[in-house]
Amino acid sequence: MNLDLATTITLASAAAFLLAWLSAVAGFGGGVLLLPVFTALFGLRAAVPVLTLAQLSSNGSRVWLNRHDLRWPIIGRFALGAVPLALAGGLLFAAAPLARSNAS
């Protein structure tokens, strides 16, 4: 898509809001549905980091709003696998080639 910056940000914000609403009603799926929208608007290479920031903001606000109900032992056990594997996935994504060359 070839849109100006204001239109792109408006479309991305509207899609994020609508899919957050749908995700709240359904209980899941906002990030999965938002990735194709962001890919169309920003391209694949930029869509993943933009979606990551959107998801961090979304999840961070939920953590803050529910901070009194957090169970730290469960969070610690989950983080033992989630944090190192998320870092490994980020490094793999950053090192991935942009495109495949068809040299003959």
Side-chain angles (χ1 to χ4, degrees):
M1 276 187 169
N2 200 0
L3 303 171
D4 67 338
L5 183 60
T7 304
T8 302
I9 291 175
T10 301
L11 287 172
S13 299
F17 179 79
L18 291 173
L19 291 172
W21 178 82
L22 178 65
S23 176
V25 171
F28 66 95
V32 172
L33 296 173
L34 197 54
L35 184 58
V37 174
F38 281 1
T39 301
L41 292 173
F42 303 116
L44 183 58
R45 198 71 172 165
V48 173
V50 170
L51 180 63
T52 300
L53 292 174
Q55 291 295 98
L56 280 172
S57 302
S58 172
N59 293 333
S61 67
R62 278 195 288 273
V63 167
W64 179 257
L65 291 171
N66 297 303
R67 65 190 177 277
H68 300 296
D69 297 318
L70 297 177
R71 304 291 181 254
W72 288 104
I74 295 171
I75 294 168
R77 286 193 301 269
F78 180 80
L80 282 175
V83 171
L85 291 173
L87 290 172
L91 291 172
L92 283 172
F93 179 75
L98 288 175
R100 205 174 236 193
S101 141
N102 290 331
S104 43

